[in-house]
PDB file of all heavy atoms in Angstrom:
ATOM      1  N   ASN C1126     -29.939 -11.557  32.784  1.00 87.00           N
ATOM      2  CA  ASN C1126     -30.147 -10.523  31.648  1.00 87.00           C
ATOM      3  C   ASN C1126     -31.349  -9.652  31.913  1.00 87.00           C
ATOM      4  O   ASN C1126     -31.400  -8.539  31.669  1.00 87.00           O
ATOM      5  CB  ASN C1126     -30.218 -11.247  30.347  1.00 87.00           C
ATOM      6  CG  ASN C1126     -28.825 -11.824  29.941  1.00 87.00           C
ATOM      7  OD1 ASN C1126     -27.759 -11.399  30.417  1.00 87.00           O
ATOM      8  ND2 ASN C1126     -28.835 -12.827  29.099  1.00 87.00           N
ATOM      9  N   THR C1127     -32.486 -10.256  32.320  1.00 88.00           N
ATOM     10  CA  THR C1127     -33.681  -9.602  32.633  1.00 88.00           C
ATOM     11  C   THR C1127     -33.482  -8.553  33.725  1.00 88.00           C
ATOM     12  O   THR C1127     -33.924  -7.419  33.652  1.00 88.00           O
ATOM     13  CB  THR C1127     -34.864 -10.529  32.946  1.00 88.00           C
ATOM     14  OG1 THR C1127     -35.022 -11.488  31.884  1.00 88.00           O
ATOM     15  CG2 THR C1127     -36.123  -9.834  33.284  1.00 88.00           C
ATOM     16  N   PHE C1128     -32.826  -9.061  34.827  1.00 86.00           N
ATOM     17  CA  PHE C1128     -32.538  -8.137  35.942  1.00 86.00           C
ATOM     18  C   PHE C1128     -31.677  -7.003  35.515  1.00 86.00           C
ATOM     19  O   PHE C1128     -31.947  -5.842  35.909  1.00 86.00           O
ATOM     20  CB  PHE C1128     -31.872  -8.986  37.098  1.00 86.00           C
ATOM     21  CG  PHE C1128     -31.516  -8.105  38.254  1.00 86.00           C
ATOM     22  CD1 PHE C1128     -32.472  -7.655  39.139  1.00 86.00           C
ATOM     23  CD2 PHE C1128     -30.179  -7.804  38.503  1.00 86.00           C
ATOM     24  CE1 PHE C1128     -32.137  -6.878  40.272  1.00 86.00           C
ATOM     25  CE2 PHE C1128     -29.808  -7.023  39.589  1.00 86.00           C
ATOM     26  CZ  PHE C1128     -30.777  -6.566  40.452  1.00 86.00           C
ATOM     27  N   ALA C1129     -30.661  -7.270  34.706  1.00 86.00           N
ATOM     28  CA  ALA C1129     -29.721  -6.228  34.238  1.00 86.00           C
ATOM     29  C   ALA C1129     -30.550  -5.219  33.402  1.00 86.00           C
ATOM     30  O   ALA C1129     -30.292  -4.039  33.459  1.00 86.00           O
ATOM     31  CB  ALA C1129     -28.567  -6.834  33.480  1.00 86.00           C
ATOM     32  N   GLY C1130     -31.384  -5.726  32.514  1.00 85.00           N
ATOM     33  CA  GLY C1130     -32.153  -4.827  31.735  1.00 85.00           C
ATOM     34  C   GLY C1130     -33.054  -3.928  32.572  1.00 85.00           C
ATOM     35  O   GLY C1130     -33.196  -2.711  32.253  1.00 85.00           O
ATOM     36  N   GLN C1131     -33.730  -4.541  33.523  1.00 87.00           N
ATOM     37  CA  GLN C1131     -34.624  -3.705  34.344  1.00 87.00           C
ATOM     38  C   GLN C1131     -33.831  -2.634  35.134  1.00 87.00           C
ATOM     39  O   GLN C1131     -34.244  -1.529  35.358  1.00 87.00           O
ATOM     40  CB  GLN C1131     -35.407  -4.671  35.303  1.00 87.00           C
ATOM     41  CG  GLN C1131     -36.384  -5.468  34.580  1.00 87.00           C
ATOM     42  CD  GLN C1131     -37.087  -6.450  35.590  1.00 87.00           C
ATOM     43  OE1 GLN C1131     -36.611  -6.722  36.635  1.00 87.00           O
ATOM     44  NE2 GLN C1131     -38.157  -7.115  35.096  1.00 87.00           N
ATOM     45  N   THR C1132     -32.652  -3.113  35.713  1.00 87.00           N
ATOM     46  CA  THR C1132     -31.772  -2.201  36.415  1.00 87.00           C
ATOM     47  C   THR C1132     -31.341  -1.022  35.563  1.00 87.00           C
ATOM     48  O   THR C1132     -31.301   0.065  35.991  1.00 87.00           O
ATOM     49  CB  THR C1132     -30.593  -2.973  37.039  1.00 87.00           C
ATOM     50  OG1 THR C1132     -31.059  -4.072  37.857  1.00 87.00           O
ATOM     51  CG2 THR C1132     -29.719  -2.095  37.885  1.00 87.00           C
ATOM     52  N   LYS C1133     -31.026  -1.350  34.328  1.00 86.00           N
ATOM     53  CA  LYS C1133     -30.495  -0.292  33.395  1.00 86.00           C
ATOM     54  C   LYS C1133     -31.627   0.631  33.123  1.00 86.00           C
ATOM     55  O   LYS C1133     -31.382   1.837  33.113  1.00 86.00           O
ATOM     56  CB  LYS C1133     -30.113  -1.011  32.095  1.00 86.00           C
ATOM     57  CG  LYS C1133     -29.363  -0.124  31.104  1.00 86.00           C
ATOM     58  CD  LYS C1133     -28.891  -0.978  29.945  1.00 86.00           C
ATOM     59  CE  LYS C1133     -28.037  -0.284  28.930  1.00 86.00           C
ATOM     60  NZ  LYS C1133     -27.660  -1.073  27.799  1.00 86.00           N
ATOM     61  N   LYS C1134     -32.849   0.158  32.937  1.00 87.00           N
ATOM     62  CA  LYS C1134     -34.032   1.036  32.694  1.00 87.00           C
ATOM     63  C   LYS C1134     -34.299   1.895  33.869  1.00 87.00           C
ATOM     64  O   LYS C1134     -34.577   3.129  33.749  1.00 87.00           O
ATOM     65  CB  LYS C1134     -35.290   0.212  32.384  1.00 87.00           C
ATOM     66  CG  LYS C1134     -35.250  -0.434  31.002  1.00 87.00           C
ATOM     67  CD  LYS C1134     -36.515  -1.255  30.777  1.00 87.00           C
ATOM     68  CE  LYS C1134     -36.435  -1.989  29.488  1.00 87.00           C
ATOM     69  NZ  LYS C1134     -37.613  -2.903  29.238  1.00 87.00           N
ATOM     70  N   LYS C1135     -34.233   1.306  35.067  1.00 87.00           N
ATOM     71  CA  LYS C1135     -34.501   2.138  36.261  1.00 87.00           C
ATOM     72  C   LYS C1135     -33.416   3.180  36.444  1.00 87.00           C
ATOM     73  O   LYS C1135     -33.675   4.400  36.833  1.00 87.00           O
ATOM     74  CB  LYS C1135     -34.473   1.275  37.496  1.00 87.00           C
ATOM     75  CG  LYS C1135     -35.792   0.395  37.618  1.00 87.00           C
ATOM     76  CD  LYS C1135     -35.780  -0.424  38.817  1.00 87.00           C
ATOM     77  CE  LYS C1135     -37.084  -1.267  38.903  1.00 87.00           C
ATOM     78  NZ  LYS C1135     -37.061  -2.194  40.063  1.00 87.00           N
TER      79      LYS C1135
END
Side-chain angles (χ1 to χ4, degrees):
N1126 289 337
T1127 300
F1128 178 74
Q1131 291 173 347
T1132 303
K1133 191 175 185 181
K1134 286 178 186 176
K1135 286 181 182 178

